[in-house]
Amino acid sequence: MEAHAAYVVRLKLRPAGYRRMESILGCLNWLYNQALECRKTAYEQRKESLSFYDQCKWLTQLRTANEHDLGEIAIGASRGMLKRLDLAFQAFFRRVRAGQAPGFPRFRPLSRCRTIDVADPHNGMVSRHNGDYLIRLKGFPRLRVRSARPLPLDAPLKSVRLTQRGCRWEASLVYAVDKQPLAPSVAAVGIDMGVRKRMTCSDGTVLARAQRDWKRKRRLQRSVSRGRKGSATRRKRVAALQRFDRKQYIRERNACHRATTGIIRRHGLIAVEALKVTNMTRSAKGTADKPGSNVKAKAGLNREVLAQNWSLLQSQLRYKAAWGGREYVEVDPKHTSQDCSRCGTRNHPGHSETYRCGACGLVADRDVNAAANILAAGVLAAGASTWAVRPCVAPEPYARVA
Ligand SMILES: [Zn+2]
């Protein structure tokens, strides 16, 4: 099984290296804006839409003339920038077709240009160097990389991306590696996603709710808005806020990885609900003539829902299942929290944490009951009878409460 594995590593630069990276960003951002300008004028004056390849040809002319020092920078980095613009246009046309608010690609100030994608990377770009690694790109400074995990230098290199985060630079290297499937397992599990408990498995294991430090975040945001625009103090405060967000994100991502890896190792079939997070977290604000009700409460709930990162959890489960040779199914979540997982009667549990069935007397945790329903639907959808569906009804302690 070929899988793409990303290695995100910090770049170690010298002071001159940082300055050089800034000036490269300047050149590439100029290229982005210039390419956008070309596309706009081509359409406005000649009703012509330029493609990525047209723009690559145009780039060759720019490089020959060494316009804006572009000739001195690796061509992959410039092409990567044109690719980004192309993606922005593709996304624009997709939204137009879907009838959504389109948002035409905009000119970008240098302060919003933080990422360099290198198009068509090849393995010669990354090499070993005195126990570290070195990324070699024409016109770039020495990009020294220290990685905690050894890089699979022999595997095909799929993408190279350099990103500035605060005052640091990071490289994301993606390699196509061979993944060995996990030892087969007949155990199946259903997972219910929620806010009070983030994930509840049908066997009763629970991933606790994600705690965010909203207070600290608000304090940092307020300190930013107090600073005068363009001042050095404000810049420092923005950097502090960015650092805080980044730290929280990494902590969060690691927690999700720990949870999902465990689930994938233990089970051969993983059933989750197909969630529509965008629909669920739509604002209750309404319009000026028709204001919605409970706007503040809904906004708070939306924030909590998004903080649980269900989509991240699901995407990790999805790709890890593919890597490990596991089956992953998404089922319709309709009625999963109302139906009884033992007899199938539809009850109305309200907001209570405990699920009680009026027909068969089942007393269960409401999320475990939902997870059991998801599991049942998942096993049906997978269409196999080989799955060992362990306690599909309430685990012992709950049954005894009855
Ligand atoms: Zn029942």
Side-chain angles (χ1 to χ4, degrees), residues 315-330:
S315 73
Q316 286 183 356
L317 284 173
R318 194 180 309 121
Y319 77 74
K320 286 180 188 178
W323 282 5
R326 304 310 207 196
E327 195 139 0
Y328 171 88
V329 273
E330 286 190 4

Side-chain angles (χ1 to χ4, degrees), residues 219-335:
R219 210 164 47 230
L220 287 166
Q221 281 172 331
R222 242 179 260 139
S223 83
V224 167
S225 52
R226 270 201 304 271
R228 193 167 40 81
K229 267 205 162 174
S231 66
T233 321
R234 189 172 192 274
R235 234 187 354 263
K236 274 182 209 156
R237 287 172 180 173
V238 168
L241 179 59
Q242 280 172 340
R243 262 199 311 278
F244 174 75
D245 277 338
R246 182 79 188 147
K247 240 184 206 163
Q248 279 220 324
Y249 167 69
I250 289 174
R251 196 173 299 151
E252 176 62 28
R253 193 182 55 189
N254 288 350
C256 291
H257 272 306
R258 278 194 292 275
T260 51
T261 300
I263 289 171
I264 293 287
R265 282 212 187 115
R266 290 195 303 271
H267 303 95
L269 170 77
I270 297 100
V272 297
E273 31 186 341
L275 289 169
K276 300 243 167 21
V277 178
T278 358
N279 290 352
M280 288 173 66
T281 54
R282 193 157 287 159
S283 164
K285 216 183 264 168
T287 55
D289 324 325
K290 234 176 153 189
S293 56
N294 275 335
V295 176
K296 204 150 192 192
K298 176 70 172 129
L301 179 64
N302 286 352
R303 194 176 311 127
E304 281 300 328
V305 166
L306 292 171
Q308 305 311 313
N309 256 329
W310 294 333
S311 312
L312 180 65
L313 285 166
Q314 286 199 349
S315 73
Q316 286 183 356
L317 284 173
R318 194 180 309 121
Y319 77 74
K320 286 180 188 178
W323 282 5
R326 304 310 207 196
E327 195 139 0
Y328 171 88
V329 273
E330 286 190 4
V331 302
D332 185 5
K334 215 171 178 187
H335 302 308

Side-chain angles (χ1 to χ4, degrees), residues 339-345 347 355-362:
D339 290 355
C340 171
S341 59
R342 186 162 21 172
C343 69
T345 314
N347 293 287
Y355 181 90
R356 284 183 209 311
C357 176
C360 72
L362 170 74

Side-chain angles (χ1 to χ4, degrees), residues 101-145:
F104 194 78
R106 283 191 291 181
F107 291 108
R108 213 167 47 175
L110 182 55
S111 58
R112 297 193 75 96
C113 176
R114 287 288 158 256
T115 303
I116 301 172
D117 273 321
V118 182
D120 319 312
H122 55 89
N123 276 53
M125 280 178 184
V126 186
S127 57
R128 217 180 287 277
H129 178 79
N130 291 345
D132 289 347
Y133 297 94
L134 207 57
I135 304 175
R136 264 181 248 266
L137 284 165
K138 184 189 166 195
F140 279 66
R142 272 167 62 89
L143 304 173
R144 218 146 67 86
V145 163

Side-chain angles (χ1 to χ4, degrees), residues 124-191:
M125 280 178 184
V126 186
S127 57
R128 217 180 287 277
H129 178 79
N130 291 345
D132 289 347
Y133 297 94
L134 207 57
I135 304 175
R136 264 181 248 266
L137 284 165
K138 184 189 166 195
F140 279 66
R142 272 167 62 89
L143 304 173
R144 218 146 67 86
V145 163
R146 182 163 290 169
S147 173
R149 299 182 287 169
L151 299 179
L153 290 183
D154 299 326
L157 180 61
K158 287 293 179 185
S159 112
V160 174
R161 170 177 279 187
L162 310 172
T163 308
Q164 190 184 38
R165 294 201 187 281
C167 49
R168 295 176 180 177
W169 277 87
E170 251 176 36
S172 166
L173 307 168
V174 177
Y175 284 95
V177 294
D178 276 330
K179 281 271 170 192
Q180 296 300 324
L182 297 168
S185 162
V186 290
V189 69
I191 301 169

